[in-house]
Amino acid sequence: MISNTNPPLRTVEWKDNRVRMIDQTKLPNEFVYVEYNDFNQVADAIRNLVVRGAPAIGVSGAFGLALASMQSDAETKDDLLVYLKKAHEILLETRPTAVNLKWGLDQIMKIAQQGENVEQIRTSVIEEAKRLAEEDVKINMSMGKFGSELFANNDTVMTHCNAGALATVGYGTALGVIRATRESGKNIKVIATETRPIQQGSRLTAFELKHDGIDVSLIPDTAVGYTMANNLVNKIVVGADRILRTGHVFNKIGTYQVATMAKQHNIPFYVAAPLSTFDLKSNPDEVIIEQRKASEVTGIGDKKTAPDDINVINPAFDMTPPELVSGIITEKGIAKAPFDDSIKKLFEAN
Ligand code: MRU
């Protein structure tokens, strides 16, 4: 039986000059690690959801570039930078919506450009990628402290998708807030949506909350309205893949439905995300929503659940407009409407 004495989950880490990840495609049936020594393998892992969740893919991208620096046989700084730029491109094109991936890759490129020679660049990019991983956990804990103030004893909180330890290096964003609330001594229950088609809610959120001994009930996505209408939920907290300066939130497909339904029932809808998830430049219509393969919708696992050759629309993310968002929890504090103003202030204070 799983209890809260289980060791904290560490989604991705640097180990003996390799990148080690929990293989999330196998959860909850098997808990296995995979190890990579080639940045192309890391790119495949991101593309195929072995690792997923905005902050986790940001750090994985950074580790991918650290591997690339070791793989290159460049003898000059310029040649190594050319190799790293190509690796950056390959890693970046794996998933288009979460901005943390570009952020992580850019952080490493900045350090690489500052290096003096090949050996020094290799050492410094590996150190920087490890630092980003450690920093991710600290940021999540800080976000958790701010966020826990918003939750009361005996709240039941709904979350969608997985914005937990498994979507970050550890601790989580939305689930980090839930963990911190519980660590502050409050009793808290969670309702997790199943999150079709990939089922991050049932496979990952339910798994990690049970692993930590947090009370969790699973619902089909279709029961969101029912649970709200029947007063089974007090608050909602989700993560984000990209947040614009206007407060528009891009997150897992279905988040917009949850937020709309929350407004209808007057339930606060919070988003928890680090500053690395903000894109202060783009407008809503410039953000690319990843479209995924039809087979994710026409079957569950290996079982076919739709007729052959059916047309499918399978967007991985949607956009929740700022008027549905009660607050955005970050490691620097909580932004509230008007978001243009409050988000700007968070960045100025950074
Ligand atoms: O397709 P995924 O599983 O990578 O989508 C993940 C999400 O949408 C999460 O909610 C988001 O990345 C926030 S993770 C802290």
Side-chain angles (χ1 to χ4, degrees), residues 271-287:
V271 178
L275 295 188
S276 54
T277 299
F278 286 74
D279 167 3
L280 302 181
K281 291 197 187 115
S282 302
N283 295 313
D285 57 357
E286 289 165 342
V287 177

Side-chain angles (χ1 to χ4, degrees), residues 309-327:
D309 300 326
I310 188 78
N311 288 331
V312 169
I313 301 169
N314 185 20
F317 302 97
D318 61 22
M319 184 187 78
T320 298
E323 58 273 19
L324 301 181
V325 179
S326 312

Side-chain angles (χ1 to χ4, degrees), residues 52-55 95 161-163 167-168 173 200 239-241 251-252 317:
R52 32 64 53 200
R95 298 200 73 190
C161 191
N162 173 266
T168 60
T173 58
Q200 290 91 334
D241 290 85
N251 191 46
K252 179 51 55 197
F317 302 97

Side-chain angles (χ1 to χ4, degrees), residues 11-12 21-25 27 42-63 91 94-105 136 140 143 160-175 195 198-201 203-205 208 238-242 250-253 272-274 276-277 290 292 316-317:
T11 301
V12 52
M21 298 173 179
I22 297 171
D23 183 347
Q24 300 193 34
T25 63
L27 287 171
V42 174
D44 282 343
I46 297 173
R47 205 176 284 118
N48 299 327
L49 310 184
V50 169
V51 64
R52 32 64 53 200
I57 64 175
V59 171
S60 300
F63 280 144
L91 287 158
T94 53
R95 298 200 73 190
T97 308
V99 79
N100 306 60
L101 179 56
K102 182 169 185 327
W103 174 87
L105 294 169
D136 179 71
N140 293 337
M143 203 183 302
H160 183 61
C161 191
N162 173 266
L166 289 165
T168 60
V169 175
Y171 204 72
T173 58
L175 298 192
T195 321
I198 308 282
Q199 292 171 289
Q200 290 91 334
R203 291 190 308 104
L204 308 177
T205 296
E208 76 165 80
V238 298
D241 290 85
R242 194 185 289 230
F250 292 80
N251 191 46
K252 179 51 55 197
I253 192 72
S276 54
T277 299
E290 178 183 358
R292 294 191 61 88
F317 302 97

Side-chain angles (χ1 to χ4, degrees), residues 9 21 32 78 82 98 125 143 215 226 327-328 332 340:
L9 295 169
M21 298 173 179
V32 289
D78 284 352
V82 169
V125 298
M143 203 183 302
D215 185 319
Y226 173 92
I328 303 175
K332 296 289 171 190
D340 301 66

Side-chain angles (χ1 to χ4, degrees), residues 138-152 171-174 176-184 186 235 237 270-275 327-336 346 349-350:
K138 286 189 199 135
I139 284 172
N140 293 337
M141 291 182 129
S142 163
M143 203 183 302
K145 283 215 174 72
F146 282 115
S148 64
E149 305 287 316
L150 298 168
F151 296 88
Y171 204 72
T173 58
V177 169
I178 287 167
R179 284 194 171 88
T181 304
R182 198 180 70 155
E183 282 157 16
S184 74
K186 291 174 205 158
K235 279 162 199 152
V237 63
Y270 296 110
V271 178
L275 295 188
I328 303 175
I329 305 157
T330 76
E331 70 273 31
K332 296 289 171 190
I334 300 170
K336 294 212 165 157
L346 286 180
N350 194 24

